[in-house]
Amino acid sequence: MNLFIVLFFSILSIFIGKPAENTGVYLEKGGQLIAFQVTGEKGKVSFKHLDEGSYKLLLVFPQQEGKYIKEKPRHETMTKATYNPKNKTYYYQGTEGFFAIKFRNISRIRSENFSAIFREELDEEDKFNAIAEFGIHNSGGSIGLSVEAITAAKFKKAADKIGQDISTQSIRGIK
């Protein structure tokens, strides 16, 4: 029985990503930084008790290694970012690696007030990736993220399935 459990989780780890620890998650309201968290060993963060208003989420991804950064010619794609609204998952490809960001525990944010975006913003030290803008319609809103490092094959499969390249639809480099 124990061998079956170990085998099951080993096979499962091939098909899903690994939690992306140390991803910097920034929350801005009206252009002002109001919160910052770093993902833990499970790759999760959440922001709760948010006031009514317009917000933007920015991430600084950690550098990946091994199979989470390698790309074979058959996995190449021009897509930098795509979003699947059905399962609320944002997929990103950058020099840091390939990532899937799943939005969870969303409260007081209507789907029409949520927009997945792709915008790279630079400062002296880091490259920030703006991934979402959203509006909270009543005080007490919340949003959570789960960040996973994924393989190039999983990214390409998701990008091809969704067929929407939001990196070409967003305006780059504007703060």
Side-chain angles (χ1 to χ4, degrees), residues 40-173:
E41 65 183 35
K42 294 185 180 181
K44 296 179 181 182
V45 299
S46 63
F47 299 99
K48 297 181 180 186
H49 311 292
L50 300 173
D51 294 330
E52 189 172 342
S54 296
Y55 294 85
K56 180 168 61 171
L57 274 169
L58 299 106
L59 275 66
V60 175
F61 294 103
Q63 184 64 50
Q64 297 301 301
E65 299 174 342
K67 73 177 184 177
Y68 297 103
I69 193 72
K70 291 182 183 171
E71 182 177 38
K72 296 178 181 171
R74 68 175 184 247
H75 300 142
E76 289 178 1
T77 178
M78 295 298 290
T79 301
K80 290 278 289 174
T82 189
Y83 179 67
N84 185 339
K86 290 182 184 175
N87 64 9
K88 295 180 177 127
T89 304
Y90 183 100
Y91 296 93
Y92 169 77
Q93 166 188 211
T95 56
E96 310 90 342
F98 302 88
F99 297 89
I101 300 96
K102 181 168 271 239
F103 296 98
R104 56 185 184 77
N105 300 332
I106 296 174
S107 171
R108 301 186 190 226
I109 302 171
R110 294 189 183 115
S111 59
E112 64 269 12
N113 292 341
F114 183 91
S115 206
I117 62 170
F118 172 78
R119 190 174 315 130
E120 294 176 337
E121 300 179 8
L122 304 171
D123 74 359
E124 299 83 33
E125 299 174 18
D126 293 311
K127 177 178 78 171
F128 296 89
N129 297 284
I131 65 164
E133 295 176 331
F134 58 94
I136 295 185
H137 57 89
N138 284 330
S139 292
S142 66
I143 189 166
L145 310 173
S146 174
V147 184
E148 290 183 341
I150 59 174
T151 62
K154 186 169 181 181
F155 176 85
K156 181 170 177 27
K157 183 178 178 181
D160 290 348
K161 182 179 178 184
I162 298 165
Q164 178 187 20
D165 184 354
I166 61 174
S167 57
T168 61
Q169 297 172 359
S170 295
I171 300 169
R172 294 184 185 167

